[in-house]
Amino acid sequence: MQNIYEETVKKVEQGSKFYINFPKRVLKVNGKRIINNGEYDGELGIKQSDNPLDVITELFVRYHHSLPSERSNQKRKSYFRALPEHKLSDEDMLYGEPREVSQIKLELYVLMAILTGILKWDDFAKDLWFWQSPEHKELILLKEWIEPNKEINNPKNNDYVRNEI
């Protein structure tokens, strides 16, 4: 892929399934690994930011107020929580983005910010095991997503098995 971020978002907009694993640094689209253990071909396609938490917060707010669908409701895993349909405002219902699209934008940005090194745990949450946004209490980042336990990522350690789509 030339621009992994843009091309992945377009594929999800067209109905492709995706899977992201922050600790293992994995992105799958329709079962095909695009990023595997942090390795990829092509350009990630995100802009460097002085404050990636601002971008993550903006993407989270869009996701939090996104429109669910039958497809998004069947998804087994999401790193972040969005509002259920009955709690969305009229404005959300009129102008909200489809949930799968806003989810891939948010999760893929976080993954790519980790890979590029612009999201560094010690820069915003040193000595903590999680970070919670002061403005949006539902936005939480875990240290293990950004600085995973080395034993978990070790392929020789077969004790840690995670179901993937």
Side-chain angles (χ1 to χ4, degrees):
M1 289 186 165
Q2 293 292 325
N3 183 320
I4 295 171
Y5 188 86
E6 284 182 19
E7 291 179 42
T8 300
V9 169
K10 283 180 187 174
K11 286 184 178 197
V12 172
E13 288 173 337
Q14 297 167 355
S16 294
K17 293 181 181 181
F18 68 93
Y19 168 82
I20 289 181
N21 185 312
F22 294 148
K24 290 188 174 189
R25 312 298 195 247
V26 170
L27 164 66
K28 284 183 180 182
V29 178
N30 285 335
K32 180 182 177 194
R33 287 183 186 251
I34 307 301
I35 299 174
N36 189 26
N37 293 324
E39 296 179 11
Y40 54 90
D41 290 325
E43 297 295 322
L44 292 176
I46 63 167
K47 296 177 183 150
Q48 294 293 332
S49 172
D50 291 335
N51 193 347
L53 289 178
D54 288 344
V55 177
I56 291 168
T57 300
E58 180 184 327
L59 292 169
F60 171 78
V61 169
R62 284 191 213 158
Y63 172 69
H64 195 64
H65 293 273
S66 63
L67 297 174
S69 67
E70 188 174 323
R71 183 175 147 211
S72 68
N73 289 338
Q74 292 176 353
K75 193 152 179 69
R76 290 186 291 179
K77 180 180 165 305
S78 176
Y79 283 100
F80 304 98
R81 290 188 185 219
L83 290 172
E85 187 173 3
H86 70 277
K87 290 192 177 181
L88 295 174
S89 69
D90 290 342
E91 186 174 317
D92 293 337
M93 296 300 283
L94 286 171
Y95 304 110
E97 189 170 43
R99 185 144 301 163
E100 312 80 46
V101 175
S102 59
Q103 182 183 353
I104 190 66
K105 287 179 179 179
L106 171 59
E107 290 183 6
L108 189 53
Y109 181 85
V110 172
L111 178 62
M112 291 180 171
I114 293 167
L115 292 176
T116 60
I118 62 173
L119 186 63
K120 295 180 183 146
W121 190 255
D122 287 346
D123 290 349
F124 63 93
K126 188 174 183 157
D127 299 327
L128 300 173
W129 65 275
F130 75 95
W131 173 85
Q132 183 176 33
S133 168
E135 302 90 31
H136 305 282
K137 299 297 183 190
E138 303 87 357
L139 173 55
I140 296 172
L141 299 174
L142 300 181
K143 183 176 184 177
E144 69 183 38
W145 298 347
I146 298 167
E147 292 185 357
N149 181 340
K150 300 300 181 213
E151 289 180 20
I152 289 174
N153 280 338
N154 184 347
K156 293 178 184 173
N157 181 358
N158 293 327
D159 297 336
Y160 182 77
V161 177
R162 185 174 198 158
N163 291 333
E164 298 182 5
I165 295 175

